[in-house]
Amino acid sequence: MAWIEFNSAAHLNANSAPELESLRDAATGEGQADPVAAIAAAVVDAIRGSVAVKNPLGPSGTIPQELLMCALDVFRFEATLRLPGVQMLQDDARRKAYDSAQALLRRVEEGRFAVSAPAEESEEAMGGAPAPDVGDERTDYSLENFDGT
């Protein structure tokens, strides 16, 4: 499978057109940018962060195709949090889909769900802490090795 961009066509699969329009209109104040792009970018960053724990990353801004449904579920849940009357939109099905998506991301982080290797790797660093550098061999300064001079 390939690494894909999470774009507006994908968002339309997760949300209805009226929901997206409401999000763009009702959830923004005067002078605020379109929240759809910001939410989508945050979803992509979260997914890439989970993938990077144990896998190389694809080109910047892309996600593994295997995680598209996961991204859609997270986007749909996060986007509707910004809408007025959210209780009506946050039904059990959306909550379960979001929870399942979060569980899948944890499995990716643990290496228990495989994602495809990218055709070309990103120059972004993989996750995790770097291996410690302890330097050169150290001299033993214990009392037994001290000659007192």
Side-chain angles (χ1 to χ4, degrees):
M1 295 202 152
W3 281 61
I4 58 173
E5 289 184 10
F6 188 62
N7 57 30
S8 59
H11 308 154
L12 291 174
N13 290 330
N15 291 68
S16 66
E19 283 178 328
L20 285 177
E21 285 306 312
S22 295
L23 181 62
R24 287 186 167 112
D25 296 338
T28 55
E30 190 174 321
Q32 278 186 306
D34 178 8
V36 172
I39 295 168
V43 169
V44 168
D45 289 345
I47 289 176
R48 288 176 65 83
S50 292
V51 169
V53 172
K54 300 240 182 209
N55 301 281
L57 292 174
S60 183
T62 62
I63 61 171
Q65 189 170 350
E66 300 92 339
L67 298 178
L68 176 60
M69 291 305 297
C70 175
L72 292 172
D73 290 337
V74 172
F75 176 84
R76 181 172 57 184
F77 189 83
E78 295 293 338
T80 54
L81 288 176
R82 293 192 54 147
L83 292 173
V86 73
Q87 296 301 325
M88 177 179 67
L89 295 172
Q90 294 295 19
D91 58 10
D92 284 342
R94 286 186 181 199
R95 171 49 96 171
K96 287 179 184 176
Y98 176 79
D99 291 343
S100 292
Q102 294 300 320
L104 179 59
L105 290 176
R106 282 190 296 279
R107 287 177 51 211
V108 169
E109 291 169 1
E110 295 164 355
R112 296 187 306 131
F113 183 86
V115 296
S116 57
E120 60 181 75
E121 290 186 22
S122 172
E123 293 184 13
E124 293 177 49
M126 272 185 55
D133 180 13
V134 294
D136 297 331
E137 188 175 324
R138 309 265 163 109
T139 305
D140 182 13
Y141 291 105
S142 64
L143 200 51
E144 294 81 31
N145 293 330
F146 188 66
D147 65 4
T149 57

